[in-house]
Amino acid sequence: MTDTAPAARLSAEASVENVGTFPAGFRWGLATAAYQIEGAATEGGRGPSIWDTFSHTPGLSLHGDTGDIACDHYHRWESDLDLLASLGVGDYRLSVSWSRLQPSGAGDLNPVAVEFYRGVLAGLRDRGIRPLVTLYHWDLPQPLEDAGGWPARATAHAFADYAVRVVTALGDLAEDWVTLNEPWCSSFLGYGKGAHAPGRTDYRAAVHAAHHLNLAHGLAVAGIRAARPGASVGITNIVTDIVAASDGDEDAAAAVRLDATSNRVFLDPVYLGEYSPAVWSTLGARGLSDVVLDGDLDIISAPTDFAGVNHYQRVIASHDASQPFEVLEVPAEPATTSFGWSVIPASLTAVLTRVSREFTPLPVYVTENGASYADYVDPNGDVVDTERVAYLRGYLGAAADAIEAGVDLRGYYAWSFLDNFEWAEGYSKRFGLVWVDYRTQERIPKLSAHWYRRLIAEHRSILIPR
Ligand code: IFM
């Protein structure tokens, strides 16, 4: 990618200077997920996942959008990897599709899918880009949902079996593995609120799903360790910055409950080997005590190599008896992304320092952070996303503040490499540093892509030793 018009428009406030100081070896990356970019939903032996079913159900995804074609990355992966390399990133977080690799949810992997992912991973290697591979980014094979989905304990064992097979088949091409992406979304959004696949609205089932996702992670860690002793493995959780709406006792208690259901139910068992009193008091009688068996917490807390943190929001919690868990949550102000999410960089510093101080001394990666804006192609053919540049500048500065405060932060993967299928919001929300024209599949690096490339180049030359 050459510096063209947008790069020339990098203004003083968008300069890459003074963003912060990052240690030697810091991983500068971009992130995607399989269902959001691949398309080719019925090709190469791929079977349906819960997201195919959900997005094809009238009324569930905006405008009826589906991931059938998405960014057509399945057919365009080589030119996409060229584009990625041209952005100067040394690291790329991708996910592999369970329903492509193991369409029935059991048994041998689909050789066509294995060949596809081996091509992608070898392509990254050939371009000098280090992959971080997520094994589950929400695309549960539909047959497993039909058999009970994540509320069923058997799904945890199915995931561990799948994970071992994948790491065995691909592990010579990737060292770094994330078991699950944001189990909060898979459980509470998918089975409780019903806003994500499979679209169920049963919070008891959601709590069962949360525990079984935690168990799936722990079982997979053990299996991966046995199959590939050299692999580096962790889990990625979304960590939300939660603030009580007032000093009152009721709102403070609501904030504790929201923290229990958003953060602690996933962070506690993996890093502390327990569900804390806040989690038990919020979720014990709402389903957790139904499913936690002797020995589960030992499995779930199997040592990992790093902690993945996805961060998007600060939310304000207040007591409201009509809401699930009696908590009303609203985005903090300023809520200026096109999703209505807050833009408060200090919340990233807060969650990183919290994870590091309260939960784990492990190296931390920001495995996702980014924002959707109402980007458009201007009459010059450019996408001048100054809001996203300001966002990245602010949040990377906040990441540097966390390092300064002692967090062992080793990398940052901006969400996302490409505009893509934003789940129930379809194609209406653009998070990419690269614009995708979904009609022609043309890619246009936005101003933010030029900025990020320049930032990476600058920071490579002003590294401080760790
Ligand atoms: O697009 C998603 C991604 O799949 C998971 N984390 C949040 C992103 C933005 O909503």
mmCIF file with all atom_site columns, all heavy atoms in Angstrom, residues 30 205 237 255:
data_model
loop_
_atom_site.group_PDB
_atom_site.id
_atom_site.type_symbol
_atom_site.label_atom_id
_atom_site.label_alt_id
_atom_site.label_comp_id
_atom_site.label_asym_id
_atom_site.label_entity_id
_atom_site.label_seq_id
_atom_site.pdbx_PDB_ins_code
_atom_site.Cartn_x
_atom_site.Cartn_y
_atom_site.Cartn_z
_atom_site.occupancy
_atom_site.B_iso_or_equiv
_atom_site.pdbx_formal_charge
_atom_site.auth_seq_id
_atom_site.auth_comp_id
_atom_site.auth_asym_id
_atom_site.auth_atom_id
_atom_site.pdbx_PDB_model_num
ATOM 1  N N   . LEU A 1 30  ? -4.193  -6.888  13.730 1.00 0.00 ? 30  LEU A N   1
ATOM 2  C CA  . LEU A 1 30  ? -5.584  -6.667  13.323 1.00 0.00 ? 30  LEU A CA  1
ATOM 3  C C   . LEU A 1 30  ? -6.314  -7.993  13.529 1.00 0.00 ? 30  LEU A C   1
ATOM 4  O O   . LEU A 1 30  ? -5.684  -9.062  13.525 1.00 0.00 ? 30  LEU A O   1
ATOM 5  C CB  . LEU A 1 30  ? -5.656  -6.239  11.855 1.00 0.00 ? 30  LEU A CB  1
ATOM 6  C CG  . LEU A 1 30  ? -5.135  -4.829  11.560 1.00 0.00 ? 30  LEU A CG  1
ATOM 7  C CD1 . LEU A 1 30  ? -4.952  -4.631  10.057 1.00 0.00 ? 30  LEU A CD1 1
ATOM 8  C CD2 . LEU A 1 30  ? -6.075  -3.761  12.115 1.00 0.00 ? 30  LEU A CD2 1
ATOM 9  N N   . ALA A 1 205 ? -30.914 -21.049 31.032 1.00 0.00 ? 205 ALA A N   1
ATOM 10 C CA  . ALA A 1 205 ? -30.101 -21.749 30.027 1.00 0.00 ? 205 ALA A CA  1
ATOM 11 C C   . ALA A 1 205 ? -28.815 -20.971 29.753 1.00 0.00 ? 205 ALA A C   1
ATOM 12 O O   . ALA A 1 205 ? -27.750 -21.567 29.530 1.00 0.00 ? 205 ALA A O   1
ATOM 13 C CB  . ALA A 1 205 ? -30.904 -21.920 28.737 1.00 0.00 ? 205 ALA A CB  1
ATOM 14 N N   . ASN A 1 237 ? -11.755 -12.887 26.835 1.00 0.00 ? 237 ASN A N   1
ATOM 15 C CA  . ASN A 1 237 ? -13.019 -12.434 27.406 1.00 0.00 ? 237 ASN A CA  1
ATOM 16 C C   . ASN A 1 237 ? -13.244 -10.967 27.096 1.00 0.00 ? 237 ASN A C   1
ATOM 17 O O   . ASN A 1 237 ? -12.284 -10.185 27.032 1.00 0.00 ? 237 ASN A O   1
ATOM 18 C CB  . ASN A 1 237 ? -13.025 -12.641 28.923 1.00 0.00 ? 237 ASN A CB  1
ATOM 19 C CG  . ASN A 1 237 ? -13.457 -14.049 29.268 1.00 0.00 ? 237 ASN A CG  1
ATOM 20 O OD1 . ASN A 1 237 ? -14.583 -14.446 28.980 1.00 0.00 ? 237 ASN A OD1 1
ATOM 21 N ND2 . ASN A 1 237 ? -12.539 -14.817 29.847 1.00 0.00 ? 237 ASN A ND2 1
ATOM 22 N N   . ALA A 1 255 ? -24.446 -2.739  40.244 1.00 0.00 ? 255 ALA A N   1
ATOM 23 C CA  . ALA A 1 255 ? -23.152 -2.765  39.541 1.00 0.00 ? 255 ALA A CA  1
ATOM 24 C C   . ALA A 1 255 ? -22.394 -4.048  39.868 1.00 0.00 ? 255 ALA A C   1
ATOM 25 O O   . ALA A 1 255 ? -21.755 -4.648  38.987 1.00 0.00 ? 255 ALA A O   1
ATOM 26 C CB  . ALA A 1 255 ? -22.327 -1.523  39.916 1.00 0.00 ? 255 ALA A CB  1
#
